[in-house]
Amino acid sequence: MINLINPNLKTHCKQLLVDTDWTDLPNNTLTTECKAAFQEWRKLIRTVLLQDPLQDVYFDDGSNLPPQPIEEWSDS
């Protein structure tokens, strides 16, 4: 089954998770708030992966995916 609105949505979600795996590493230098934002965002992306492929999830900006957090780096 494919998502009727975006047939590549699940593939895109998987790639987003791969591309942001580094945000879960303990030695990254993101701010604490940014790490938490990425953790929440990644949880939402995994939720999209688990959804019924014929249903669409829409977020505040009207897209199928939540907006990715902006990287904020710690000074230390």
Side-chain angles (χ1 to χ4, degrees):
M1 292 186 134
I2 59 171
N3 181 296
L4 295 177
I5 298 299
N6 184 352
N8 298 315
L9 182 62
K10 290 188 185 287
T11 301
H12 183 61
C13 287
K14 289 176 186 176
Q15 188 61 51
L16 287 171
L17 290 173
V18 167
D19 291 346
T20 59
D21 276 346
W22 66 271
T23 63
D24 281 339
L25 295 175
N27 63 344
N28 78 54
T29 57
L30 294 173
T31 64
T32 302
E33 295 82 11
C34 187
K35 289 177 187 180
F38 268 102
Q39 287 174 346
E40 182 62 28
W41 178 77
R42 288 169 54 83
K43 185 183 341 176
L44 290 171
I45 295 296
R46 286 189 291 274
T47 300
V48 172
L49 276 171
L50 296 174
Q51 76 181 8
D52 179 338
L54 297 178
Q55 291 181 341
D56 290 308
V57 174
Y58 292 100
F59 294 91
D60 291 341
D61 65 355
S63 71
N64 292 96
L65 297 175
Q68 183 172 335
I70 296 172
E71 296 170 14
E72 297 174 8
W73 302 98
S74 174
D75 291 332
S76 55

